[in-house]
């Protein structure tokens, strides 16, 4: 066995061969060293992306990993929600899309404030088009990976769609000028980044070789597209 190992390994050492012989003969039980010597393309913690839907679930997952792997290796596994995983990517790469890496993430109140401002400047009645309803329509569009131009292309004679498309376009313009993203932008822009910049996608495909998604059947189109591109 030792001779075979030595012949197959260009950097084989006499010390390693002696260890393997000792292990075979029951003189050592150092399983960690055995793994280091004979492992082929071992899975590295940083090659794993584990996605779940809530911060609480992600926290529980990280705690379990820490108990199993030890704190140092557990930290290297990217166990996160879809949004936190994408924020990490965008902080590094979003300048390619014309934003600054110090972007702000708007909550629903911030978004509604911007929508109200858009409606006012476009002379659209809030009674006819309530801000919450408009924001819900924009959110659904983003979940489906539909940009304002895509909404415009599908308007036909639909007056409501035409108004939503105008507000959506103005809303996105104002978010970008403020270097801000809303919650739905986080995934949508990550997918856009991967689609428009194949070199960036390749980097993360090489980084994340093992992808696990909790409750995968509950993913929306944007989340599905993200996972499909990475995998």
């Amino acid at each position: 066995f030792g001779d075979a190992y030595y012949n197959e390994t260009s950097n084989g050492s006499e010390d390693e061969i002696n260890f393997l012989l000792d292990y075979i003969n029951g003189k050592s039980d150092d399983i960690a060293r055995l793994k280091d010597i004979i492992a082929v393309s071992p899975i590295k913690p940083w090659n794993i992306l584990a996605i779940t839907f809530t911060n609480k679930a992600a926290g529980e997952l990280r705690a379990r990993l820490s108990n199993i792997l030890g704190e140092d290796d557990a930290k290297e596994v990217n166990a996160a929600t879809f949004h936190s995983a994408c924020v990490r990517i965008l902080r590094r790469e979003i300048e390619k899309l014309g934003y600054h890496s110090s972007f702000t993430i708007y909550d629903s109140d911030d978004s509604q404030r911007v929508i109200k401002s858009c409606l006012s400047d476009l002379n659209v009645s809030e009674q006819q088009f309530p801000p919450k309803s408009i924001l819900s329509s924009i959110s659904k569009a983003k979940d489906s990976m539909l940009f304002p131009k895509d909404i415009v292309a599908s308007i036909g004679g639909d007056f409501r769609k035409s108004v939503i498309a105008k507000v959506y376009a103005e809303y996105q313009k104002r978010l970008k000028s403020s270097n801000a993203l809303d919650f739905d932008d986080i995934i949508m822009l990550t997918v856009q980044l991967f689609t428009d910049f194949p070199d960036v996608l390749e980097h993360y495909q090489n980084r994340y070789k093992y992808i696990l998604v909790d409750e995968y059947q509950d993913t929306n189109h944007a989340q599905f597209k993200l996972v499909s591109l990475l995998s």
Side-chain angles (χ1 to χ4, degrees), residues 77-92:
V77 177
N78 191 0
T81 63
F82 271 107
H83 290 89
S84 59
C86 287
V87 166
R88 181 180 294 187
I89 292 169
L90 291 174
R91 290 290 182 199
R92 174 175 172 170

Side-chain angles (χ1 to χ4, degrees), residues 141-152:
K142 291 181 178 182
D143 285 348
S144 299
M145 289 302 300
L146 296 175
F147 293 87
K149 60 181 174 58
D150 301 314
I151 304 296
V152 170

Side-chain angles (χ1 to χ4, degrees), residues 3-192:
D3 289 342
Y5 174 79
Y6 186 85
N7 290 333
E8 289 292 325
T9 311
S10 60
N11 64 344
S13 69
E14 186 174 347
D15 184 55
E16 289 177 343
I17 294 169
N18 288 335
F19 167 79
L20 291 173
L21 291 171
D22 286 344
Y23 192 91
I24 291 169
N25 293 322
K27 296 179 181 179
S28 173
D29 60 356
D30 190 346
I31 190 69
R33 188 179 181 196
L34 178 67
K35 288 179 180 179
D36 285 340
I37 293 174
I38 68 173
V40 177
S41 299
I43 298 172
K44 302 297 184 183
W46 54 86
N47 291 142
I48 299 171
L49 175 63
I51 296 291
T52 187
F53 277 85
T54 67
N55 290 322
K56 181 181 179 182
E60 290 176 355
L61 180 55
R62 285 191 291 269
R64 292 181 186 184
L65 287 169
S66 184
N67 288 335
I68 296 169
L69 302 176
E71 191 172 340
D72 290 340
D73 280 345
K75 285 180 179 178
E76 297 291 345
V77 177
N78 191 0
T81 63
F82 271 107
H83 290 89
S84 59
C86 287
V87 166
R88 181 180 294 187
I89 292 169
L90 291 174
R91 290 290 182 199
R92 174 175 172 170
E93 312 287 355
I94 200 170
E95 291 185 359
K96 295 178 175 64
L97 296 176
Y99 294 79
H100 296 295
S101 60
S102 59
F103 61 84
T104 300
I105 300 172
Y106 281 1
D107 62 20
S108 58
D109 289 339
D110 296 324
S111 295
Q112 282 192 55
R113 174 176 49 80
V114 178
I115 290 290
K116 288 181 179 182
S117 177
C118 291
L119 291 173
S120 176
D121 291 349
L122 293 170
N123 294 315
V124 177
S125 167
E126 287 191 27
Q127 282 68 42
Q128 283 185 289
F129 295 91
K132 278 188 178 181
S133 176
I134 292 287
L135 199 55
S136 177
S137 295
I138 292 173
S139 178
K140 288 177 182 176
K142 291 181 178 182
D143 285 348
S144 299
M145 289 302 300
L146 296 175
F147 293 87
K149 60 181 174 58
D150 301 314
I151 304 296
V152 170
S154 67
I155 286 173
D158 191 320
F159 174 70
R160 177 176 170 76
K161 273 190 178 181
S162 68
V163 173
I164 291 173
K166 288 178 183 177
V167 177
Y168 184 8
E170 184 62 23
Y171 174 68
Q172 287 304 107
K173 180 180 176 182
R174 296 188 187 199
L175 286 182
K176 192 167 186 179
S177 68
S178 299
N179 195 40
L181 279 59
D182 68 14
F183 206 57
D184 299 303
D185 282 327
I186 293 170
I187 296 177
M188 185 181 187
L189 291 181
T190 305
V191 173
Q192 182 186 357

